Amino acid sequence: MKKKILEIKDLYVEYITEDGIVHAVNGLNLELEKGQTLGLVGETGAGKTTTVLSIMKLLPEQIGRITKGTILLDGNNITDLRETEMQKLRGNAVSMIFQDPMTSLNPVLSVGDQIAEVLELHQAELGKKRIDERVDEILDMVGLQKERKVEYPHQFSGGMKQRIVIAMALACEPKLLLADEPTTALDVTIQAQVLEMMNRLKDTFSTSMMLITHDLGVVAQTCDSVAIMYAGRVIEQGTLKDIYTAGRHHPYTIGLFNSIPDLTKDTKRLSPIKGLMPDPINLPNGCAFHPRCPECLDVCRYEMPEESCYGTHKIRCHLYK
Amino acid sequence: MTRYIIKRILAMIPVLLGISFVIFTIMSLTPGDPALAILGKDATPEALELLREDMGLNEHFLLRYAKYMTNAFRGDFGISYSTRTPVFDEVFSRYPNTLKLSFFSIIFMVVLGIPIGIVSAVKKYSLIDSISMIGALLLTSIPGFWLGLMLILQLSLKYRLLPAIGIDSWKNYIMPCITLGAADLAILVRITRSNMLEIVRQDYIRTARAKGAGKMRVIFKHTLRNAMLPIVTTIGLCFGSLLSGAIIVESVFGMPGVGTMIINAIRAKDTPLVMASVLFFTIIIGLINLIVDIIYAIIDPRVRSSYGG
Ligand SMILES: Nc1ncnc2c1ncn2[C@@H]1O[C@H](COP(=O)(O)OP(=O)(O)OP(=O)(O)O)[C@@H](O)[C@H]1O
Ligand SMILES: [Mg+2]
């Protein structure tokens, strides 16, 4: 059996708000093998960002908290690590790329300084001169001229900024890269370039990656395995082949695939999933998808289905037992 | 950058012309006769007329303004009507005292206000935050002169810790600085706190934490620097209000600054003295604004590039 870089078991995360407790993640199980890329897919509000923020332990203070579950990073339990311990891991063993490159860079520091900062924090022993050379090398790797490191974020385009963010995230050659919709804010042509580059760099550094996206096309191109999330749970998980070939699927997965245009088939119109995501403050009993499910059974209304395994393919649905 | 500074200094000329014209007009149109003020109530009409002719008061007002400005441009600000000494000397012996007072008040404000604001923001809703917010509210609601009198009563009369009046030693500046800076200190604490809290919510702060930066580094390197812009603006604005507040504080603490001088000059219809004081005031405010803008450019590269090179 291959080594796992990330294992999340039965994770629960909630946000405390004025309107009530938001149950953002509810018993999430997730595994990622070393060197592989996992695509995390789901509608807006499914809890994808919350999941990765939990791994980084960067949930908003006083509002968000992990109430249950364990997170293993490279076999070590990081669930109860103290903040100072987490600081040694962040940017070093595990890095994160945020959704919007426009706002993720500090406007008053030069991009060179911002990249160098990660190295100063985790590899101070290199010394100033070596760090400086490393910054040049990394900029070169993400396809930016090293002379531009003295410039400030406002002097770069969106795509370039995302390259800088990626450079920062990969500077310490992390074991795990969490990329939260890294290309959604970019132009389609730039999207492809950036994704291609991330894939290449990930292989160079033998980094494992968790890629959050709405785009099933992107998943097909870049990921080894896929997890589909709904209302804070993974409802179907498997290799690319398990998910993309016809056969047993969760009705939500089927709905997701029907709601994107398929160029090979001559379908006249898209069929989006009917209804809305349930309110995370008041989740329905049983399977959270049952109010929208076209194949809803009686048992779905009151009992949460167990996970059924078919080799690498796992589905959480009463239709499959 | 140098070009920008020169441009800004040149831009002060029309401002100075405008302000001087307005003040000159007000001084000429308000009732009151400088000749009468100099010679006193018992002077004969002939003597008064002679003095008016002598001082050029009978000439057309526009002509007098033009003459005044030409002389002022050459560095000749005339003779004070009331003290009969050159205005330039008078103004220059008093401005340093007022500037010193304002400058010390600013330092008092910055040294206390920014750290208190930062601590309040970092420990939001804690006891320390509540105390500083209530303190700030109190300071803004207390009138400056009352605070000054209370300080004199307690620290000078009762405990004899500090001298009540004069400018002989640095101790003389302590109570005036507190009196003058109190209200603006409260503003600075609030501005620092609210801006720190605003910046902490920005995405790039989360990026910094995701890099593994510790709490102190996030606060000082990433948050404070970005929160500094509005803080610097506030300090610049406070300087203007401090200079005008100095007028009251100087009279409470018996300090020979411009404040008392301007009030007396206006009473005596001493146009040359009023004009020179106001013009210096304008120049100082203009320079402070320029310094604020330069500090902006140092802090924020986006501002720097908008100034062109
Ligand atoms: N800071 C917060 N305070 C309160 N509720 C929050 C907070 N952040 C997220 N939530 C709630 O948690 C749930 C999950 O949000 P999350 O951001 O993880 O979704 P997501 O899957 O990343 O969505 P998207 O695709 O739109 O980014 C949502 O219902 C959201 O409203
Ligand atoms: Mg998200």
Side-chain angles (χ1 to χ4, degrees):
Chain A
M1 199 171 120
K2 279 194 201 144
K3 271 261 183 119
K4 305 251 187 315
I5 183 73
L6 178 73
E7 269 185 278
I8 301 178
K9 287 181 197 144
D10 203 26
L11 182 72
Y12 283 78
V13 182
E14 56 188 36
Y15 293 105
I16 296 160
T17 67
E18 277 173 23
D19 302 329
I21 294 175
V22 177
H23 301 278
V25 174
N26 307 292
L28 176 120
N29 292 305
L30 206 58
E31 291 180 350
L32 173 56
E33 276 167 21
K34 269 195 183 150
Q36 299 231 306
T37 301
L38 169 73
L40 191 59
V41 187
E43 264 172 287
T44 173
K48 306 179 295 290
T49 302
T50 306
T51 306
V52 283
L53 286 179
S54 311
I55 302 170
M56 295 292 282
K57 294 275 203 66
L58 283 178
L59 288 168
E61 266 172 68
Q62 277 154 15
I63 301 170
R65 61 190 174 116
I66 298 177
T67 48
K68 202 179 150 199
T70 48
I71 301 170
L72 303 182
L73 181 68
D74 204 15
N76 304 312
N77 190 343
I78 60 164
T79 329
D80 300 316
L81 277 191
R82 272 180 288 122
E83 172 63 19
T84 43
E85 299 293 318
M86 268 321 286
Q87 280 166 15
K88 288 180 200 150
L89 292 182
R90 286 189 204 125
N92 193 14
V94 48
S95 290
M96 181 159 179
I97 297 172
F98 294 99
Q99 192 160 348
D100 190 355
M102 298 303 170
T103 55
S104 337
L105 291 169
N106 191 329
V108 302
L109 300 175
S110 74
V111 299
D113 283 350
Q114 295 192 55
I115 299 171
E117 187 178 24
V118 201
L119 294 161
E120 283 160 17
L121 283 165
H122 301 293
Q123 298 180 4
E125 68 280 358
L126 287 182
K128 231 179 154 47
K129 200 164 148 275
R130 185 72 195 102
I131 287 180
D132 221 40
E133 289 164 11
R134 269 299 281 159
V135 171
D136 293 352
E137 288 166 25
I138 297 162
L139 278 175
D140 188 51
M141 267 187 258
V142 296
L144 291 171
Q145 291 152 299
K146 59 174 190 275
E147 290 75 23
R148 296 199 66 178
K149 68 179 173 185
V150 293
E151 292 181 20
Y152 292 87
H154 73 274
Q155 291 162 295
F156 293 86
S157 70
M160 288 170 161
K161 277 187 202 160
Q162 196 61 309
R163 284 163 193 263
I164 295 162
V165 171
I166 292 168
M168 243 158 50
L170 293 177
C172 291
E173 307 186 7
K175 295 179 202 161
L176 175 62
L177 177 66
L178 306 169
D180 188 359
E181 306 190 33
T183 56
T184 329
L186 305 178
D187 207 280
V188 187
T189 46
I190 312 230
Q191 269 185 24
Q193 286 176 17
V194 169
L195 274 174
E196 189 275 326
M197 186 191 76
M198 281 176 61
N199 248 335
R200 187 164 39 80
L201 291 178
K202 164 193 161 278
D203 290 338
T204 322
F205 296 139
S206 50
T207 295
S208 321
M209 177 157 82
M210 186 149 124
L211 178 71
I212 295 181
T213 174
H214 290 276
D215 190 336
L216 288 164
V218 166
V219 173
Q221 278 166 28
T222 43
C223 298
D224 304 298
S225 57
V226 191
I228 301 196
M229 246 184 119
Y230 188 80
R233 282 191 193 91
V234 173
I235 48 98
E236 183 167 349
Q237 188 175 185
T239 61
L240 208 53
K241 198 163 152 244
D242 292 335
I243 306 290
Y244 279 74
T245 47
R248 291 189 194 88
H249 289 296
H250 193 286
Y252 177 65
T253 312
I254 297 169
L256 265 189
F257 276 90
N258 283 339
S259 61
I260 54 165
D262 187 342
L263 298 179
T264 57
K265 282 196 208 118
D266 188 24
T267 31
K268 285 274 158 15
R269 63 174 68 174
L270 300 176
S271 45
I273 307 170
K274 289 191 184 65
L276 292 172
M277 275 277 284
D279 177 6
I281 296 178
N282 273 313
L283 284 175
N285 285 335
C287 171
F289 186 59
H290 85 252
R292 298 168 79 185
C293 185
E295 305 184 50
C296 179
L297 308 171
D298 255 356
V299 60
C300 302
R301 293 181 215 279
Y302 52 85
E303 198 185 305
M304 183 62 214
E306 291 299 315
E307 210 165 49
S308 326
C309 287
Y310 305 95
T312 49
H313 194 179
K314 293 173 187 163
I315 306 177
R316 242 179 206 270
C317 181
H318 286 299
L319 293 177
Y320 312 101
K321 280 252 169 73
Chain B
M1 191 77 190
T2 330
R3 269 188 53 193
Y4 174 79
I5 295 174
I6 294 171
K7 232 164 61 188
R8 282 285 303 268
I9 290 178
L10 291 180
M12 275 167 68
I13 293 174
V15 176
L16 283 171
L17 285 175
I19 287 186
S20 62
F21 186 74
V22 170
I23 302 291
F24 202 88
T25 313
I26 293 174
M27 291 303 286
S28 312
L29 295 187
T30 46
D33 182 355
L36 192 67
I38 293 170
L39 293 180
K41 278 204 288 276
D42 305 331
T44 60
E46 292 77 29
L48 282 175
E49 186 51 38
L50 205 68
L51 185 60
R52 275 192 213 113
E53 193 59 43
D54 202 33
M55 289 163 72
L57 290 174
N58 289 337
E59 283 168 66
H60 189 268
F61 141 77
L62 283 178
L63 190 63
R64 275 188 289 138
Y65 174 69
K67 272 190 184 163
Y68 175 82
M69 286 314 283
T70 350
N71 287 335
F73 195 69
R74 293 204 202 101
D76 174 10
F77 290 89
I79 304 285
S80 160
Y81 291 168
S82 44
T83 62
R84 293 266 135 211
T85 48
V87 165
F88 194 83
D89 299 347
E90 181 82 2
V91 167
F92 261 78
S93 71
R94 283 169 175 259
Y95 253 100
N97 294 334
T98 302
L99 285 183
K100 227 197 250 171
L101 176 62
S102 312
F103 190 69
F104 287 156
S105 299
I106 292 274
I107 292 187
F108 161 73
M109 261 169 63
V110 169
V111 166
L112 273 180
I114 294 181
I116 294 178
I118 294 174
V119 172
S120 266
V122 173
K123 304 249 178 253
K124 192 173 60 155
Y125 303 140
S126 68
L127 183 66
I128 211 168
D129 180 30
S130 313
I131 293 175
S132 66
M133 283 301 102
I134 293 171
L137 187 65
L138 280 179
L139 285 186
T140 24
S141 4
I142 294 174
F145 68 91
W146 184 83
L147 181 62
L149 291 177
M150 284 304 125
L151 286 174
I152 293 181
L153 267 180
Q154 293 297 317
L155 299 183
S156 303
L157 296 182
K158 201 161 169 202
Y159 295 105
R160 307 212 165 268
L161 290 173
L162 293 169
I165 56 167
I167 51 162
D168 308 319
S169 85
W170 60 269
K171 282 185 181 164
N172 286 92
Y173 282 94
I174 296 179
M175 291 192 297
C177 281
I178 296 176
T179 312
L180 190 53
D184 289 336
L185 167 72
I187 295 174
L188 192 62
V189 168
R190 284 218 211 108
I191 296 277
T192 307
R193 178 180 183 271
S194 62
N195 279 292
M196 290 290 288
L197 290 177
E198 170 66 29
I199 301 291
V200 162
R201 288 195 287 122
Q202 301 296 312
D203 285 353
Y204 52 81
I205 298 300
R206 194 169 58 174
T207 308
R209 297 189 58 206
K211 285 199 244 177
K215 200 162 181 155
M216 285 298 153
R217 196 185 186 89
V218 169
I219 293 171
F220 289 101
K221 183 164 177 183
H222 294 275
T223 315
L224 184 59
R225 185 106 189 256
N226 280 287
M228 251 355 246
L229 278 186
I231 296 177
V232 170
T233 315
T234 311
I235 297 173
L237 287 176
C238 285
F239 209 95
S241 74
L242 282 185
L243 279 176
S244 25
I247 296 177
I248 295 170
V249 172
E250 281 167 3
S251 51
V252 171
F253 291 95
M255 303 174 98
V258 273
T260 32
M261 180 182 77
I262 291 183
I263 293 178
N264 292 336
I266 292 173
R267 280 212 194 101
K269 282 213 46 121
D270 193 343
T271 310
L273 198 51
V274 173
M275 286 292 287
S277 310
V278 173
L279 287 183
F280 275 113
F281 201 93
T282 314
I283 291 175
I284 288 166
I285 298 285
L287 288 180
I288 300 277
N289 283 341
L290 181 58
I291 292 171
V292 166
D293 286 352
I294 292 172
I295 296 178
Y296 259 35
I298 294 171
I299 298 174
D300 193 334
R302 286 165 297 185
V303 177
R304 197 147 64 228
S305 43
S306 75
Y307 289 175

